[in-house]
């Protein structure tokens, strides 16, 4: 099973700043099957990025994903108030899906 | 409207099985795999398994093998997740989520609203 490790655990930033979130896999993620989700308190997760770098429907272009192999990054170019939330990465491989432990982006 | 609607909250005593439903609206039920993901209070997301509504085949995370059963009813576009012998550590919000395959790189593009399951004596 591929283990995903996200860093940092918490990111304290101000609105307008750039956020860079990391997701590292214990083994190569095949075919770039790496996704990112946003979750706000009391809500279900929302798909942001799939295939490592493709934005999901209706996701603003301030969200971008990059990376391949074992190292992936989610970047939020300029934080809006509604972006403060928890972010999870997820991978698919060998008929199994796993999630990272999450990164909380909080207001500084 | 395209959505997944789950059954309501459950409170169970340890050892009494719990069954949660997820009904699909607004798309062809048999076109997309459906997954179950859970989230314990204050914790992260945990994948439990997946069912193919077309033929009913399933694949469970190793942790849940022998304890979880996923089924579907194509006549009502509903999938079910039954967890047997639950214990207090199974207290969590349980989500169903849609996987439309390679269109979104096997990611989950739509989620149910979640069902809180509380296991307590």
């Amino acid at each position: 099973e591929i283990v995903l490790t996200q860093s940092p655990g918490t990111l304290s930033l101000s609105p307008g700043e750039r956020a860079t979130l990391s997701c590292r896999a214990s083994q190569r993620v095949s075919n770039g099957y790496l996704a990112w989700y946003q979750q706000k308190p009391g809500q279900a997760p929302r798909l942001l990025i799939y295939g490592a770098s493709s934005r999901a429907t209706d996701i603003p272009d301030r969200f971008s994903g990059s990376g391949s192999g074992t190292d992936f990054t989610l970047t939020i170019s300029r934080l809006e108030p509604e972006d403060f939330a928890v972010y999870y990465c997820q991978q698919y491989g060998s008929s199994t899906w796993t999630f990272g432990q999450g990164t909380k982006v909080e207001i500084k | 409207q395209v959505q997944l609607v789950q059954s309501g909250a459950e409170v169970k005593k340890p050892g009494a099985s719990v069954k949660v439903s997820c009904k699909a609206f607004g798309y062809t039920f048999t076109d997309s795999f459906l997954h179950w993901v859970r989230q314990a209070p204050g914790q992260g997301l945990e994948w439990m398994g997946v069912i193919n509504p077309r033929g009913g085949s399933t694949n469970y995370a190793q942790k849940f093998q022998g304890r979880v059963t996923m089924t579907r009813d194509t006549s009502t576009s509903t999938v079910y997740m039954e967890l047997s012998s639950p214990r207090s550590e199974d207290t969590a919000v349980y989500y169903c989520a849609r996987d439309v395959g390679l269109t979104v790189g096997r990611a989950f593009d739509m989620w149910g609203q979640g069902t809180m399951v509380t296991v307590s004596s």
Side-chain angles (χ1 to χ4, degrees):
Chain A
E1 175 182 299
I2 295 179
V3 175
L4 299 178
T5 302
Q6 293 186 238
S7 61
T10 302
L11 201 49
S12 299
L13 295 168
S14 301
E17 289 193 295
R18 181 185 187 90
T20 303
L21 287 67
S22 173
C23 177
R24 178 162 291 177
S26 60
Q27 303 171 45
R28 180 180 171 276
V29 176
S30 58
N31 300 312
Y33 286 145
L34 193 287
W36 291 92
Y37 299 83
Q38 176 194 68
Q39 188 179 34
K40 297 179 181 178
Q43 296 184 17
R46 177 175 71 144
L47 177 65
L48 299 175
I49 301 288
Y50 64 92
S53 60
S54 298
R55 269 188 301 277
T57 303
D58 295 330
I59 300 303
D61 60 8
R62 64 180 180 273
F63 291 92
S64 63
S66 63
S68 64
T70 60
D71 288 297
F72 299 87
T73 300
L74 174 70
T75 301
I76 311 171
S77 59
R78 289 178 56 86
L79 283 164
E80 297 287 341
E82 62 268 28
D83 299 336
F84 292 92
V86 179
Y87 293 83
Y88 294 94
C89 58
Q90 175 209 44
Q91 71 82 36
Y92 161 70
S94 302
S95 301
T96 298
W97 286 256
T98 54
F99 290 92
Q101 82 280 17
T103 290
K104 182 179 182 180
V105 178
E106 65 176 22
I107 299 177
K108 186 174 181 180
Chain B
Q1 183 181 1
V2 181
Q3 60 179 336
L4 298 171
V5 178
Q6 298 183 221
S7 50
E10 300 267 9
V11 178
K12 293 290 182 179
K13 294 190 184 303
S17 67
V18 60
K19 193 170 186 177
V20 180
S21 68
C22 169
K23 186 174 174 65
F25 293 90
Y27 72 95
T28 302
F29 178 65
T30 50
D31 280 355
S32 303
F33 287 60
L34 283 165
H35 299 254
W36 289 91
V37 176
R38 76 177 187 180
Q39 186 170 38
Q43 303 300 309
L45 302 169
E46 183 175 33
W47 180 74
M48 300 180 68
V50 58
I51 183 167
N52 180 352
R54 186 175 295 275
S57 61
T58 56
N59 182 33
Y60 304 137
Q62 190 166 9
K63 174 178 179 176
F64 298 101
Q65 294 269 5
R67 247 188 6 119
V68 72
T69 303
M70 297 177 189
T71 56
R72 96 292 190 213
D73 181 345
T74 55
S75 68
T76 60
S77 299
T78 302
V79 296
Y80 300 90
M81 186 284 300
E82 184 170 19
L83 186 65
S84 62
S85 303
R87 31 197 185 252
S88 59
E89 310 89 88
D90 294 315
T91 293
V93 176
Y94 289 76
Y95 294 101
C96 59
R98 186 179 75 164
D99 161 12
V100 293
L102 295 178
T103 305
V104 289
R106 304 308 307 270
F108 304 164
D109 73 329
M110 182 170 59
W111 295 63
Q113 81 277 19
T115 296
M116 181 70 212
V117 174
T118 303
V119 183
S120 174
S121 56

